[in-house]
Coordinates of all heavy atoms in Angstrom, one line a residue:
L18 N 0.8 -1.2 0.0 CA 0.0 0.0 0.0 C 0.9 1.3 0.0 O 0.6 2.2 -0.7 CB -0.9 0.0 1.2 CG -1.8 1.2 1.4 CD1 -2.7 1.5 0.2 CD2 -2.7 1.1 2.6
K19 N 2.0 1.2 0.7 CA 2.9 2.3 0.7 C 3.5 2.5 -0.6 O 3.7 3.7 -1.1 CB 4.0 2.1 1.8 CG 3.4 2.0 3.2 CD 4.5 1.7 4.3 CE 3.8 1.5 5.6 NZ 4.8 1.3 6.7
Q20 N 3.9 1.4 -1.3 CA 4.5 1.5 -2.6 C 3.4 2.0 -3.6 O 3.8 2.8 -4.5 CB 4.9 0.1 -3.1 CG 6.1 -0.4 -2.3 CD 7.4 0.3 -2.6 OE1 7.5 1.2 -3.4 NE2 8.5 -0.2 -1.9
A21 N 2.2 1.7 -3.4 CA 1.1 2.2 -4.3 C 0.9 3.7 -4.1 O 0.7 4.4 -5.1 CB -0.2 1.4 -4.0
R22 N 1.1 4.1 -2.9 CA 1.0 5.6 -2.7 C 2.1 6.3 -3.3 O 1.9 7.4 -4.0 CB 1.0 5.9 -1.2 CG -0.2 5.4 -0.4 CD -0.2 5.9 1.0 NE -1.2 5.3 1.9 CZ -0.9 4.7 3.0 NH1 0.4 4.4 3.4 NH2 -1.8 4.2 3.8
L23 N 3.3 5.8 -3.2 CA 4.5 6.4 -3.9 C 4.3 6.4 -5.4 O 4.8 7.3 -6.0 CB 5.8 5.6 -3.5 CG 6.3 5.8 -2.0 CD1 7.5 5.0 -1.8 CD2 6.6 7.3 -1.8
A24 N 3.7 5.4 -5.9 CA 3.4 5.3 -7.3 C 2.5 6.5 -7.8 O 2.7 7.0 -8.9 CB 2.8 4.0 -7.8
Q25 N 1.6 6.9 -6.9 CA 0.8 8.1 -7.2 C 1.6 9.4 -7.2 O 1.2 10.3 -7.8 CB -0.3 8.2 -6.1 CG -1.3 7.1 -6.0 CD -2.2 7.0 -7.3 OE1 -2.8 7.9 -7.7 NE2 -2.2 5.8 -7.9
L26 N 2.7 9.4 -6.5 CA 3.5 10.6 -6.4 C 4.7 10.6 -7.4 O 5.3 11.7 -7.6 CB 4.2 10.7 -5.0 CG 3.2 10.7 -3.8 CD1 4.0 10.7 -2.5 CD2 2.3 11.9 -3.9
A27 N 4.9 9.5 -8.1 CA 6.1 9.3 -8.9 C 6.2 10.3 -10.1 O 7.2 10.7 -10.5 CB 6.2 7.9 -9.4
G28 N 5.0 10.7 -10.6 CA 5.0 11.6 -11.8 C 5.1 13.1 -11.4 O 5.1 13.9 -12.3
L29 N 5.1 13.4 -10.1 CA 5.1 14.8 -9.8 C 6.5 15.5 -10.0 O 7.5 15.0 -9.5 CB 4.8 15.0 -8.3 CG 3.4 14.4 -7.9 CD1 3.2 14.6 -6.4 CD2 2.3 15.0 -8.7
A30 N 6.5 16.6 -10.8 CA 7.7 17.1 -11.3 C 8.6 17.7 -10.2 O 9.9 17.6 -10.3 CB 7.4 18.3 -12.3
T31 N 8.1 18.2 -9.1 CA 8.9 18.8 -8.0 C 8.9 18.0 -6.8 O 9.1 18.5 -5.7 CB 8.4 20.2 -7.7 OG1 7.1 20.2 -7.3 CG2 8.5 21.1 -8.9
F32 N 8.8 16.6 -6.9 CA 8.9 15.7 -5.8 C 10.0 14.7 -6.0 O 10.1 14.1 -7.1 CB 7.5 15.0 -5.6 CG 7.6 13.9 -4.6 CD1 7.7 14.2 -3.2 CD2 7.6 12.6 -4.9 CE1 7.8 13.2 -2.2 CE2 7.6 11.5 -4.0 CZ 7.8 11.9 -2.6
R33 N 10.7 14.4 -5.0 CA 11.7 13.4 -5.0 C 11.6 12.6 -3.7 O 11.5 13.1 -2.6 CB 13.1 14.0 -5.2 CG 14.3 13.0 -5.2 CD 15.5 13.7 -5.7 NE 15.9 14.8 -4.8 CZ 16.5 14.7 -3.6 NH1 16.8 13.5 -3.2 NH2 16.8 15.7 -2.9
F34 N 11.8 11.2 -3.9 CA 11.7 10.4 -2.7 C 13.0 9.7 -2.4 O 13.7 9.3 -3.3 CB 10.6 9.3 -2.9 CG 10.5 8.3 -1.8 CD1 9.9 8.6 -0.6 CD2 11.1 7.0 -1.9 CE1 9.9 7.7 0.4 CE2 11.1 6.1 -0.9 CZ 10.4 6.4 0.3
E35 N 13.3 9.6 -1.1 CA 14.5 8.8 -0.6 C 14.0 7.9 0.5 O 13.3 8.3 1.4 CB 15.6 9.8 -0.1 CG 16.3 10.6 -1.1 CD 17.5 11.2 -0.6 OE1 18.1 10.7 0.4 OE2 18.0 12.3 -1.1
R36 N 14.5 6.7 0.4 CA 14.2 5.7 1.5 C 15.1 6.0 2.6 O 16.4 5.9 2.5 CB 14.3 4.3 1.0 CG 13.9 3.3 2.1 CD 13.6 1.9 1.6 NE 13.2 1.0 2.6 CZ 12.7 -0.2 2.4 NH1 12.7 -0.7 1.2 NH2 12.3 -1.0 3.4
L37 N 14.6 6.4 3.8 CA 15.5 6.8 4.9 C 14.7 6.7 6.2 O 13.5 7.0 6.3 CB 16.0 8.3 4.7 CG 17.1 8.8 5.6 CD1 17.8 9.9 4.9 CD2 16.5 9.4 6.9
D38 N 15.4 6.1 7.2 CA 14.7 6.0 8.5 C 15.2 7.1 9.4 O 16.4 7.4 9.6 CB 15.2 4.6 9.1 CG 14.3 4.2 10.3 OD1 13.9 5.1 11.0 OD2 14.2 3.0 10.5
I39 N 14.2 7.8 10.0 CA 14.6 8.9 10.9 C 15.4 8.5 12.1 O 16.0 9.3 12.8 CB 13.3 9.7 11.3 CG1 12.3 8.8 12.1 CG2 12.7 10.4 10.1 CD1 11.2 9.6 12.7
V40 N 15.4 7.2 12.4 CA 16.2 6.7 13.6 C 17.7 6.8 13.2 O 18.5 6.9 14.1 CB 15.8 5.3 13.9 CG1 16.7 4.7 15.0 CG2 14.3 5.3 14.4
D41 N 18.0 6.8 11.9 CA 19.4 7.0 11.5 C 19.7 8.5 11.5 O 19.6 9.2 10.5 CB 19.5 6.4 10.1 CG 21.0 6.3 9.6 OD1 21.8 7.0 10.2 OD2 21.3 5.6 8.6
G42 N 20.2 8.9 12.6 CA 20.5 10.3 12.8 C 21.6 10.9 11.8 O 21.4 12.0 11.3
A43 N 22.6 10.1 11.5 CA 23.7 10.5 10.6 C 23.1 10.7 9.2 O 23.4 11.7 8.5 CB 24.8 9.5 10.6
A44 N 22.3 9.8 8.7 CA 21.7 9.9 7.4 C 20.8 11.1 7.3 O 20.8 11.8 6.3 CB 21.0 8.6 7.0
L45 N 20.0 11.3 8.4 CA 19.1 12.4 8.4 C 19.8 13.8 8.4 O 19.5 14.7 7.6 CB 18.2 12.3 9.6 CG 17.0 13.3 9.7 CD1 16.0 13.0 8.5 CD2 16.3 13.2 11.0
D46 N 20.9 13.9 9.2 CA 21.7 15.1 9.2 C 22.3 15.4 7.9 O 22.4 16.5 7.4 CB 22.8 15.0 10.3 CG 23.6 16.2 10.5 OD1 23.0 17.1 11.1 OD2 24.7 16.3 9.9
A47 N 22.8 14.3 7.2 CA 23.4 14.5 5.9 C 22.4 15.0 4.9 O 22.7 15.8 4.0 CB 24.0 13.2 5.4
L48 N 21.2 14.5 5.0 CA 20.1 15.0 4.1 C 19.8 16.4 4.3 O 19.7 17.2 3.3 CB 18.8 14.1 4.3 CG 17.6 14.5 3.5 CD1 17.8 14.1 2.1 CD2 16.3 13.9 4.1
F49 N 19.7 16.9 5.5 CA 19.5 18.3 5.9 C 20.6 19.2 5.3 O 20.4 20.2 4.8 CB 19.3 18.5 7.4 CG 17.9 18.3 7.8 CD1 17.3 17.1 7.9 CD2 17.1 19.5 8.2 CE1 16.0 17.0 8.4 CE2 15.8 19.3 8.7 CZ 15.2 18.1 8.8
A50 N 21.8 18.7 5.6 CA 23.0 19.5 5.1 C 23.0 19.6 3.6 O 23.4 20.7 3.1 CB 24.3 18.8 5.6
R51 N 22.6 18.6 2.9 CA 22.7 18.6 1.4 C 21.5 19.4 0.9 O 21.7 20.2 -0.1 CB 22.6 17.2 0.9 CG 22.7 17.1 -0.6 CD 22.8 15.6 -1.0 NE 21.6 14.8 -0.8 CZ 21.5 13.9 0.1 NH1 22.5 13.6 1.0 NH2 20.3 13.2 0.3
E52 N 20.3 19.3 1.4 CA 19.2 19.9 0.8 C 18.8 21.3 1.3 O 18.2 22.1 0.5 CB 17.9 19.0 1.1 CG 18.1 17.6 0.5 CD 18.1 17.6 -1.0 OE1 17.6 18.6 -1.6 OE2 18.5 16.5 -1.6
Q53 N 19.2 21.7 2.5 CA 18.9 23.0 3.0 C 17.5 23.4 2.9 O 17.0 24.3 2.2 CB 19.8 24.1 2.3 CG 21.3 23.9 2.5 CD 21.7 24.1 3.9 OE1 21.5 25.1 4.5 NE2 22.4 23.1 4.5
F54 N 16.6 22.6 3.6 CA 15.2 22.8 3.6 C 14.8 24.1 4.2 O 15.4 24.6 5.1 CB 14.5 21.7 4.4 CG 14.8 20.3 3.8 CD1 15.5 19.4 4.5 CD2 14.2 19.9 2.6 CE1 15.8 18.1 4.0 CE2 14.5 18.7 2.1 CZ 15.2 17.8 2.8
D55 N 13.7 24.7 3.6 CA 13.1 25.9 4.2 C 12.2 25.5 5.4 O 12.2 26.1 6.4 CB 12.3 26.6 3.2 CG 13.1 27.2 2.0 OD1 14.1 27.8 2.3 OD2 12.8 26.9 0.9
R56 N 11.4 24.5 5.2 CA 10.4 24.0 6.2 C 10.3 22.5 6.2 O 10.6 21.9 5.2 CB 9.1 24.7 6.0 CG 9.2 26.2 6.0 CD 7.9 27.0 6.0 NE 8.2 28.4 5.9 CZ 7.4 29.4 5.9 NH1 6.1 29.2 6.0 NH2 7.8 30.7 5.8
V57 N 9.8 22.0 7.3 CA 9.7 20.6 7.5 C 8.3 20.2 8.0 O 7.8 20.8 8.9 CB 10.7 20.1 8.5 CG1 10.5 18.6 8.8 CG2 12.1 20.3 8.1
V58 N 7.7 19.2 7.4 CA 6.5 18.6 7.9 C 6.8 17.2 8.3 O 7.1 16.3 7.5 CB 5.4 18.5 6.8 CG1 4.1 17.9 7.4 CG2 5.1 19.9 6.3
H59 N 6.8 17.0 9.6 CA 7.2 15.7 10.2 C 6.0 14.8 10.5 O 5.3 15.1 11.5 CB 8.1 15.9 11.5 CG 8.5 14.7 12.1 ND1 9.2 13.6 11.5 CD2 8.2 14.2 13.4 CE1 9.3 12.6 12.4 NE2 8.8 13.0 13.5
L60 N 5.8 13.8 9.7 CA 4.7 12.9 9.9 C 5.1 11.5 10.2 O 4.3 10.6 10.5 CB 3.8 12.9 8.6 CG 3.2 14.3 8.2 CD1 2.6 14.2 6.9 CD2 2.3 14.8 9.3
A61 N 6.4 11.1 10.0 CA 6.9 9.8 10.2 C 6.8 9.4 11.7 O 7.2 10.2 12.6 CB 8.3 9.7 9.8

């Protein structure tokens, strides 16, 4: 069902998905450092 939801998002031009677990602090920090987000919606 999660994969089916992602399939609904796959064609969106300004959306990109990465498989990442928020428990992995180092990977999450690297993502923030690379992307420089303006805002965050935390639903996980």
Side-chain angles (χ1 to χ4, degrees):
L18 177 56
K19 300 177 184 181
Q20 294 288 359
R22 294 188 189 119
L23 288 177
Q25 297 293 307
L26 304 176
L29 302 179
T31 60
F32 172 71
R33 180 169 56 80
F34 176 76
E35 289 192 23
R36 184 166 184 171
L37 191 153
D38 193 329
I39 58 170
V40 175
D41 186 343
L45 189 66
D46 185 79
L48 178 73
F49 270 73
R51 183 171 70 249
E52 299 292 342
Q53 297 295 304
F54 298 111
D55 297 309
R56 300 185 185 185
V57 175
V58 180
H59 175 56
L60 302 172

